[in-house]
């Protein structure tokens, strides 16, 4: 009897202890589940918030405002030369890209000439991806300033001046808006309050981003990318190296038997830089 | 959370091999301090990586696109979510909440990155990993796949330590367990 009673007592105590242990284990497990669940929820919410926030922050692929006279279905392209010229040169350039500077300094005068002769219609895509790799804002601010110059009808001249005064890639001189405005001074009619405000306010920042996003989605990976009637010609067309003489030859060959476009500057002001050689326009910092 | 009960150390009877001594250090309070250092180091890594990618959504998306792995429809969601995810991991690591789970997620993320970089390397495309901002196509001479993989492997070791020993000093987990 008493034996049995003691047994019963012990089991009751054991049962209580076991129960308490089980409850504690359960509480610990619950705590773990709550903490683990909350942590996973925080991570998931962060990801969703990221998508929403960045979606709101990112600039649209179709710009809200584009410089006057830009072409293409999203107005991302700056046209220079006669639109009815038989050949089209498509150029992707970044204001900070050294190879673009070298290309412009070597080929700029030839391209200006081909434009003025009605032989070549040039489509510029002013991209701005060097800023991602090399700290600074010179690509984006420079591209915006080029948009401002386009808006004012002085793209070609300002473009030529900008590349002739291009700093080293690591020097973010174009990230300084005052520098960009100062470079407009030699171009008659460009250095206006409207242009200054456009540069200072980064008026076409959204357009610059849209042009870059379009380039991101393209198959082109570097600048300058230069296409003559859709065919890559930089640094070579087929096996032939690009030179100013070869470019003229290729354009003439492509234009053979076709009617040339309207000659002249086609809306771009004829500054001394546009058709003549570099020596006509002494520019500070060009460094020979 | 979890983790084994820290065995009381007996320095005067330490006659076992070095491995055992190391294990006792890892299990003891010193190990929990080491864990704190590891946890904060990994937090710095995620915080730095996330904040570097957060400012320019288009750049982050392009860094993802450049791997040429995900379809275009996923490029932006991944590029947009990733920096926030990384910052969330950093914050959780700083406060020390759910360290083991956060470490597991960190390890999975790092393994994904290492796989992505390896894939780019094997396929012969020339990109910057975009691990700490930047990203996108670079000149073939400027790829740093080996360095990037070794770096991420180092971070993976930090995460692995925390999966193995999630109990750390100065953590929300420790405070909740008390």
């Amino acid at each position: 009897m008493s034996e049995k009673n003691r047994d019963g007592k012990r089991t009751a105590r054991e049962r209580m202890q076991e129960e308490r242990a089980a409850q504690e284990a359960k509480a610990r497990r619950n705590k773990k589940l709550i903490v683990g669940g909350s942590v996973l929820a925080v991570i998931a919410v962060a990801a969703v918030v990221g998508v929403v926030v960045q979606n709101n922050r990112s600039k649209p692929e179709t710009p809200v405002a584009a410089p006057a006279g830009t072409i293409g279905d999203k107005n991302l392209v700056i046209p220079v030369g006669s639109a009815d010229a038989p050949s089209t040169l498509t150029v992707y350039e970044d204001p900070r890209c050294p190879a673009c500077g070298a290309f412009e300094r070597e080929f700029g005068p030839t391209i200006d000439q081909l434009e003025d002769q009605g032989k070549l219609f040039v489509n510029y895509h002013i991209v701005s991806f060097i800023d991602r790799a090399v700290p600074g804002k010179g690509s984006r601010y420079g591209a915006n300033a080029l948009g401002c110059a386009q808006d004012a009808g002085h793209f070609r001249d300002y473009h030529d001046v900008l590349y002739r005064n291009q700093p080293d890639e690591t020097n973010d001189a174009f990230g300084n808006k005052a520098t960009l405005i100062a470079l407009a001074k030699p171009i008659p009619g460009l250095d206006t309050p409207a242009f200054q405000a456009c540069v200072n306010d980064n008026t076409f920042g959204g357009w610059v981003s849209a042009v870059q996003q379009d380039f991101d989605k393209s198959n082109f990976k570097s600048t300058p990318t230069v296409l003559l009637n859709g065919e890559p010609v930089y640094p070579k067309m087929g096996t032939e190296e690009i030179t100013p003489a070869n470019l003229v030859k290729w354009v003439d060959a492509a234009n053979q038997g076709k009617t040339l476009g309207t000659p002249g500057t086609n809306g771009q002001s004829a500054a001394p830089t546009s058709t003549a050689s570099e020596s006509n326009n002494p520019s500070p910092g060009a460094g020979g | 959370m979890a983790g084994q009960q820290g065995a009381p150390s007996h320095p005067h009877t330490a006659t076992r091999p070095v491995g055992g001594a190391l294990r006792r250090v890892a299990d003891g309070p010193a190990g929990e301090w080491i864990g704190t250092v590891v946890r904060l180091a990994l937090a710095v890594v995620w915080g730095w990586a996330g904040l570097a990618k957060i400012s320019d959504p288009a750049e982050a998306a392009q860094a993802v696109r450049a791997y040429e792995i995900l379809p275009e429809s996923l490029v932006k969601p991944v590029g947009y979510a990733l920096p926030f995810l990384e910052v969330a991991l950093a914050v959780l690591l700083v406060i020390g909440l759910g360290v083991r789970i956060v470490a597991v997620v960190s390890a999975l993320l790092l393994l994904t990155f290492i796989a992505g970089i390896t894939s780019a390397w094997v396929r012969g495309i020339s990109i910057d990993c975009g691990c700490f901002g930047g990203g996108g196509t670079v000149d073939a001479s400027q790829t740093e796949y080996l360095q990037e993989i070794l770096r991420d492997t180092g971070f993976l070791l930090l995460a692995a330590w925390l999966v193995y020993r999630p109990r750390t000093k100065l953590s929300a987990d420790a405070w909740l367990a008390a």
Side-chain angles (χ1 to χ4, degrees):
Chain A
M1 237 1 215
S2 65
E3 182 84 348
K4 195 180 172 189
N5 199 14
R6 214 182 305 143
D7 264 5
K9 267 185 186 166
R10 203 185 62 197
T11 45
R13 197 166 52 235
E14 272 181 356
R15 221 181 296 127
M16 254 170 60
Q17 276 175 344
E18 271 168 21
E19 220 164 83
R20 197 181 307 141
Q23 266 170 3
E24 276 171 9
K26 198 177 166 198
R28 267 201 307 276
R29 219 171 27 244
N30 278 345
K31 213 189 235 178
K32 260 194 221 178
L33 279 175
I34 290 169
V35 169
S38 323
V39 162
L40 288 177
V42 164
I43 292 173
V45 167
V48 172
V49 166
V51 173
V52 172
V53 167
Q54 297 296 70
N55 220 351
N56 284 335
R57 284 186 60 228
S58 65
K59 305 245 169 69
E61 290 182 14
T62 304
V64 178
T70 46
I71 60 168
D73 56 350
K74 293 175 186 167
N75 288 334
L76 303 179
V77 181
I78 295 182
V80 182
S82 164
D84 55 3
S87 281
T88 301
L89 193 74
T90 308
V91 182
Y92 291 84
E93 289 178 328
D94 185 307
R96 284 179 84 185
C97 138
C100 303
F103 171 80
E104 281 301 328
R105 288 188 292 274
E106 186 177 359
F107 293 91
T110 307
I111 290 172
D112 288 354
Q113 241 158 27
L114 289 167
E115 286 162 358
D116 289 352
Q117 291 165 350
K119 292 178 176 176
L120 195 61
F121 182 48
V122 183
N123 289 350
Y124 287 98
H125 298 247
I126 306 298
V127 305
S128 48
F129 69 129
I130 304 284
D131 284 353
R132 294 175 180 170
V134 188
K137 293 183 164 172
S139 292
R140 280 167 289 171
Y141 286 178
N144 174 66
L146 284 164
C148 298
Q150 165 65 22
D151 205 50
H154 293 280
F155 171 78
R156 184 163 80 175
D157 300 332
Y158 188 64
H159 168 259
D160 290 358
V161 168
L162 213 58
Y163 276 113
R164 236 177 284 156
N165 291 280
Q166 191 189 44
D168 286 341
E169 191 176 26
T170 50
N171 173 353
D172 192 33
F174 290 170
N176 182 347
K177 290 167 176 171
T179 303
L180 294 168
I181 290 169
L183 285 170
K185 286 208 161 59
I187 299 163
L190 179 56
D191 188 19
T192 62
F195 176 79
Q196 292 179 8
C198 180
V199 171
N200 283 327
D201 300 345
N202 200 28
T203 300
F204 295 116
W207 174 80
V208 168
S209 172
V211 174
Q212 177 55 39
Q213 290 181 61
D214 177 65
F215 181 68
D216 284 340
K217 286 183 156 186
S218 78
N219 292 320
F220 307 120
K221 298 183 190 297
S222 61
T223 53
T225 288
V226 186
L227 313 169
L228 177 58
N229 299 320
E231 292 297 313
V233 293
Y234 180 92
K236 288 176 177 182
M237 183 170 81
T239 56
E240 221 174 342
E241 198 97 21
I242 191 170
T243 62
N246 276 347
L247 181 61
V248 171
K249 188 180 81 178
W250 297 337
V251 169
D252 283 341
N255 288 356
Q256 203 154 33
K258 295 178 185 164
T259 315
L260 295 188
T262 318
T265 54
N266 292 286
Q268 298 289 339
S269 68
T273 59
S274 60
T275 52
S277 69
E278 284 189 41
S279 56
N280 276 356
N281 186 11
S283 53
Chain B
M1 310 206 26
Q4 286 159 18
Q5 204 65 38
S9 60
H10 303 282
H12 299 294
T13 57
T15 51
R16 278 179 284 176
V18 181
L22 272 180
R23 163 155 293 183
R24 270 203 320 287
V25 169
D27 287 342
E32 293 187 20
W33 281 112
I34 292 172
T36 304
V37 171
V38 170
R39 176 162 64 78
L40 294 177
L42 194 58
V44 168
V45 170
W46 283 136
W48 176 24
L51 293 177
K53 293 197 263 275
I54 229 163
S55 68
D56 186 348
E59 174 182 325
Q62 180 59 11
V64 173
R65 188 182 285 119
Y67 281 85
E68 297 175 17
I69 292 174
L70 294 176
E72 182 61 33
S73 58
L74 288 178
V75 160
K76 281 185 183 175
V78 170
Y80 292 174
L82 200 54
F84 282 71
L85 180 67
E86 291 174 334
V87 169
L89 293 174
V91 170
L92 288 168
L93 285 166
V94 166
I95 60 179
L97 185 69
V99 169
R100 179 168 270 169
I101 291 178
V102 174
V104 167
V105 173
S106 298
L108 291 175
L109 205 52
L110 286 163
L111 284 171
T112 310
F113 293 165
I114 292 170
I117 297 167
T118 308
S119 153
W121 196 2
V122 168
R123 284 176 295 149
I125 59 179
S126 305
I127 60 170
D128 178 280
C129 73
C131 305
F132 297 93
T137 304
V138 297
D139 193 75
S141 64
Q142 288 181 330
T143 57
E144 295 182 331
Y145 294 124
L146 186 62
Q147 294 95 308
E148 288 166 355
I149 289 171
L150 289 176
R151 187 180 58 194
D152 281 3
T153 306
F155 300 155
L156 184 60
L157 290 176
L158 296 180
W161 174 272
L162 291 174
V163 174
Y164 174 60
R165 287 286 180 269
R167 181 177 291 220
T168 62
K169 293 281 184 196
L170 307 178
S171 66
D173 285 344
W175 181 76
L176 283 171

